[in-house]
Amino acid sequence: MKKRERGKPRFKRVLLKLSGEALMGNQGFGVDPHMAERIAQEIGEIHDLGVQVAATVGGGNIIRGISVSAAGMDRATGDYMGMLATVINALALQNALEKRGIFTRVQSAIEMRSVAEPYIRRRAIRHLEKARVVIFAAGTGNPYFSTDTAAALRAIEVHAEVILKATKVDGIYDADPMLHPSARLLRKLTYLQVLEKGLRVMDTAAITLCMENNLPIIVFNLLRHGNIKEVVLGANLGSIIRV
C-alpha cells in the first residue's frame, strides 16, 4: 500500500544522523559515490519542502577509534583518527549535495580551514536560516565522545526539533534483528526505557543529553527509498524516543 503523503512537513529544522557505513553502500570500505548521491537526493527532497537540514556522518566506513584502540593503539589517538574520517565523509556528502545544486557547508570541530569552516554555532544557525545544508564533522573535537553524542550536542545547539537517526533496519528492536528473526519492533519508547533496557540505539551520553533537553529521536530505515521524506511528513515509520 502506498504511504499517504502529507503536504506540510512535521518539522522545520532537523538533524540527520548518518553512519559512515551508510555511505559505504555495498562496498567493503570507503565511500560509494552512488550511495552518496542517493542520500543527497533524499536530503534534497526534504530541503525542497523548506525543511532546514543539518547532518552528522560517522566514520566507521574508514576507521573506528574504539576498534583501533582495542587493537593496541592509544584511545585518544584512535578517536582523533576517527574524527578525521568523519571529515572525509562530510566532504563526500557535501560534493553529492552541491552536484544537485544545494548549497552546503561543512563545519569541523577540528580546525582545518582549507577544507571546512570551523564550527561556530551562530554561523551554523545562520546557514540553516539561509536554506544551506550544514554538515557537522569531526565529532565534538574531543576524544572519548562518539558521533552519537556529537549529533545530540549539535542538534541541541542549533535548536533542531528532532534527530533523525538513519539505520539499516526498520527501527528499534528488543533484540538484534540480524541475529534474532523473531525480534520485536518497538514503536514508542521513553529515554529511560532505552537506558534501562540497554538498547544500543545511541550511546548513553547521547540519550541522556536528548532526555535532559526533551529532544525526540526517530530511528528509521535508510535503505528504503523515500523514508527520510516520509518521516519528515509525519508518516508512522520506525521508532520514536521521547518523554
Side-chain angles (χ1 to χ4, degrees):
M1 181 182 294
K2 186 178 179 180
K3 300 183 181 74
R4 180 170 66 87
E5 181 174 301
R6 297 162 178 80
K8 186 176 180 181
R10 182 179 175 187
F11 308 105
K12 182 180 178 182
R13 181 178 295 169
V14 303
L15 185 136
L16 178 64
K17 168 67 175 73
L18 297 164
S19 67
E21 288 86 347
L23 287 175
M24 190 166 64
N26 294 322
Q27 299 179 167
F29 179 82
V31 177
D32 179 354
H34 297 295
M35 191 63 185
E37 288 168 8
R38 207 213 84 182
I39 293 171
Q41 178 188 345
E42 296 211 32
I43 292 174
E45 289 174 359
I46 62 172
H47 183 266
D48 289 345
L49 295 172
V51 178
Q52 297 174 11
V53 186
T56 61
V57 192
N61 56 321
I62 299 173
I63 191 167
R64 285 184 179 277
I66 291 177
S67 298
V68 297
S69 173
M73 185 175 288
D74 176 72
R75 170 65 190 273
T77 300
D79 282 352
Y80 280 121
M81 292 168 66
M83 287 181 229
L84 296 178
T86 70
V87 177
I88 293 171
N89 287 337
L91 293 174
L93 183 57
Q94 179 187 40
N95 179 72
L97 285 162
E98 292 192 333
K99 278 186 176 179
R100 302 190 65 82
I102 301 170
F103 293 109
T104 307
R105 299 290 185 271
V106 173
Q107 289 200 342
S108 171
I110 297 174
E111 193 167 315
M112 46 184 76
R113 291 182 180 273
S114 297
V115 296
E117 294 181 1
Y119 171 68
I120 299 173
R121 174 181 166 272
R122 287 181 179 272
R123 182 180 291 176
I125 292 172
R126 187 61 176 152
H127 286 321
L128 293 169
E129 291 172 344
K130 286 183 171 288
R132 297 166 185 151
V133 172
V134 181
I135 306 171
F136 299 118
T140 65
N142 302 290
Y144 303 101
F145 289 94
S146 71
T147 52
D148 284 341
T149 303
L153 179 62
R154 296 293 184 247
I156 293 163
E157 287 181 310
V158 302
H159 308 301
E161 297 170 67
V162 66
I163 292 178
L164 305 179
K165 181 173 171 61
T167 68
K168 295 181 179 180
V169 293
D170 289 335
I172 303 169
Y173 289 81
D174 57 1
D176 187 340
M178 301 295 185
L179 302 176
H180 305 279
S182 61
R184 184 167 58 95
L185 178 64
L186 306 172
R187 289 286 187 183
K188 296 180 181 179
L189 290 156
T190 66
Y191 305 103
L192 285 176
Q193 285 174 328
V194 172
L195 295 172
E196 289 167 358
K197 294 175 184 291
L199 300 173
R200 300 178 66 183
V201 185
M202 298 174 82
D203 64 42
T204 302
I207 295 294
T208 302
L209 261 177
C210 292
M211 179 172 65
E212 290 175 348
N213 292 275
N214 195 22
L215 178 66
I217 306 163
I218 298 177
V219 183
F220 66 98
N221 192 337
L222 178 68
L223 301 181
R224 292 185 182 174
H225 183 79
N227 268 4
I228 297 177
K229 183 178 180 182
E230 289 290 338
V231 169
V232 166
L233 289 173
N236 185 27
L237 292 177
S239 307
I240 185 166
I241 306 169
R242 60 187 174 192
V243 175

